[in-house]
Amino acid sequence: MFSPYRRLFARPGTTAFTLAGLLGRLSMSMTGVSLVVLIAERRGSYALAGTVAATGLVTGAIGMPVIGRLVDRFGQARVTVPAVLYCVVPLSGLLLCVRTGAPDWTLYVCWAAGAAAPNLGGMARARWAHLLRDEPDERHLANSFEQALDELCFMAGPVLGMVLCTTIAPEAGLLTAGGLGAVGGLLFAAQRRTEPPTAGHPAAGRHGSPLRVPGLRVLTVTFLSTGMIFGALDLTTVAYADALGHRPVAGGLLALVAAGSCVAGLVFGTLRPNGPAGVRFLRGLAAMAGLLLLPLAAGLGGVGLVLLGVALFAAGTGTAPTMVTGMMLLQELLPQRQLNEGMAIAVSGIVVGISAGSALAGTVAEHAGPGAGYWIPAGAAALALLIGLAGHRLLAVPAEAPQGVVGASH
């Protein structure tokens, strides 16, 4: 199964930028839990920790497309280096404010100011899209591998952050995340031979927002619903395990979701894409909606944590193929000159969805039975499918026009 991936990384420079990007993404996956543990420990308030974290998600969702547009205009290295160095400042400020007992509003300001973090995952996908612009099967393989890496980071990052915060010091998680992010970002920017070209002329900024492409609007709203799945599934699973008196097991249950998605992504990459990307995306949404009925049935049926874990693993297998196909479709709909901004907009949709899903699931967890929260991810998956079906005509790539990645080098 792994021979296609070995062939993929036989291309010069691909291993270097992938490993550097992996460090940056691991850093991002550590920050959420590390921030919450730090503030809860030093300030004694989970409510404060949650609202500070939410503030960072909102400003990040706004800042990510801005950074993406700058990357498309000036290039990955020229934007990533100053952005990475800048992000060290608000992170250091937050650690200092927490440590010295500064007013709570300073924590909001510092964390909100860190919204300029570059989206290394999106930039890595943009590199693959440029390198493999004439090889759609290989792009499918690369996108599948990138999705598997995302899942791997979201399995390992929170665990690593929690271990560092609880065994060394509450600040250790964020300090490590900041270090990994800086090193990974600078190493990624140093890989210049695989960096995609920019538009390279003054008129490059006159193309307007990529949201003018109707298909991107459909994908962004669909990804927002998908983000609600992630946020609601995480919080509901923690609340369910806590209600059964096994809260420490919640981390393992959530790791099973990511593991199912990681395995599915790797296997999916080895399968040859069949049919238009828009049709395959709808199939993925339908499969995801069907599989998310399993944890709903397990939660409402009170079958216990073992069977719930099996259901969560199975549900996770539906997310990676859907996300991989969605990113492939995005690459086909957009020209290279707007690819980083377009992917940043899609990721921002996911981030907003995660926040909304977590908030909604928290309300349900407090006022309903422990398994009732699984209605939210199941409903969000159904909503994503309905949005995809309603906008399926806009997801078709015109046959007469070159795909965005094909026209990238012109």
Side-chain angles (χ1 to χ4, degrees):
M1 185 184 76
F2 293 102
S3 58
Y5 292 103
R6 287 196 295 268
R7 183 179 68 247
L8 185 69
F9 285 98
R11 292 170 172 80
T14 54
T15 301
F17 82 72
T18 299
L19 291 177
L22 179 62
L23 288 178
R25 279 185 279 188
L26 182 63
S27 166
M28 290 183 65
S29 67
M30 292 174 59
T31 55
V33 66
S34 299
L35 175 72
V36 169
V37 173
L38 169 64
I39 296 179
E41 177 67 24
R42 296 301 188 195
R43 295 295 178 93
S45 173
Y46 277 103
L48 176 63
T51 52
V52 171
T55 301
L57 287 174
V58 171
T59 55
I62 297 171
M64 210 178 298
V66 176
I67 297 296
R69 173 169 284 206
L70 292 174
V71 168
D72 286 330
R73 177 66 182 90
F74 298 105
Q76 293 186 355
R78 291 179 64 188
V79 174
T80 299
V81 172
V84 165
L85 296 178
Y86 160 78
C87 285
V88 174
V89 177
L91 175 61
S92 302
L94 179 121
L95 290 168
L96 183 62
C97 289
V98 171
R99 190 70 180 178
T100 58
D104 290 349
W105 64 264
T106 62
L107 308 186
Y108 292 100
V109 171
C110 290
W111 201 240
N119 177 20
L120 296 186
M123 285 193 279
R125 287 177 171 90
R127 292 194 181 213
W128 286 117
H130 171 65
L131 294 172
L132 307 172
R133 56 193 176 276
D134 298 321
E135 303 174 70
D137 288 350
E138 294 297 288
R139 280 191 285 115
H140 168 76
L141 186 69
N143 277 289
S144 299
F145 187 80
E146 290 294 324
Q147 188 63 37
L149 285 185
D150 283 344
E151 301 299 342
L152 180 64
C153 287
F154 280 101
M155 278 193 294
V159 175
L160 178 59
M162 182 68 75
V163 169
L164 290 170
C165 290
T166 55
T167 60
I168 299 178
E171 294 82 4
L174 274 185
L175 283 171
T176 303
L180 288 175
V183 172
L186 295 176
L187 289 177
F188 186 90
Q191 313 306 314
R192 299 301 296 268
R193 61 176 171 174
T194 54
E195 182 176 351
T198 62
H201 54 81
R206 299 178 187 170
H207 300 289
S209 170
L211 282 172
R212 291 185 177 184
V213 178
L216 178 59
R217 296 199 293 267
V218 176
L219 285 173
T220 300
V221 179
T222 306
F223 283 158
L224 191 150
S225 297
T226 306
M228 289 183 64
I229 295 172
F230 300 149
L233 201 64
D234 286 1
L235 196 144
T236 299
T237 299
V238 172
Y240 188 85
D242 193 22
L244 296 182
H246 297 284
R247 188 174 186 181
V249 180
L253 292 173
L254 295 178
L256 286 173
V257 180
S261 187
C262 182
V263 171
L266 290 174
V267 174
F268 185 66
T270 64
L271 304 177
R272 186 181 180 87
N274 183 24
V279 175
R280 289 186 278 116
F281 184 59
L282 292 178
R283 292 175 189 162
L285 291 173
M288 187 170 65
L291 288 168
L292 279 164
L293 295 176
L294 297 176
L296 173 61
L300 294 178
V303 296
L305 296 179
V306 174
L307 289 179
L308 176 63
V310 174
L312 289 171
F313 180 89
T317 62
T319 58
T322 307
M323 296 298 297
V324 168
T325 309
M327 287 298 178
M328 281 283 293
L329 184 56
L330 187 151
Q331 292 168 15
E332 293 180 0
L333 289 169
L334 294 177
Q336 178 75 41
R337 65 175 180 268
Q338 293 184 311
L339 193 52
N340 287 285
E341 184 181 359
M343 283 193 286
I345 289 172
V347 173
S348 293
I350 296 174
V351 170
V352 172
I354 290 174
S355 301
S358 297
L360 188 57
T363 302
V364 172
E366 287 189 9
H367 298 94
Y374 286 113
W375 277 109
I376 300 173
L383 178 61
L385 176 58
L386 290 175
I387 294 169
L389 289 171
H392 73 280
R393 295 181 184 275
L394 304 177
L395 298 177
V397 180
E400 67 276 7
Q403 293 179 346
V405 292
V406 175
S409 59
H410 299 302

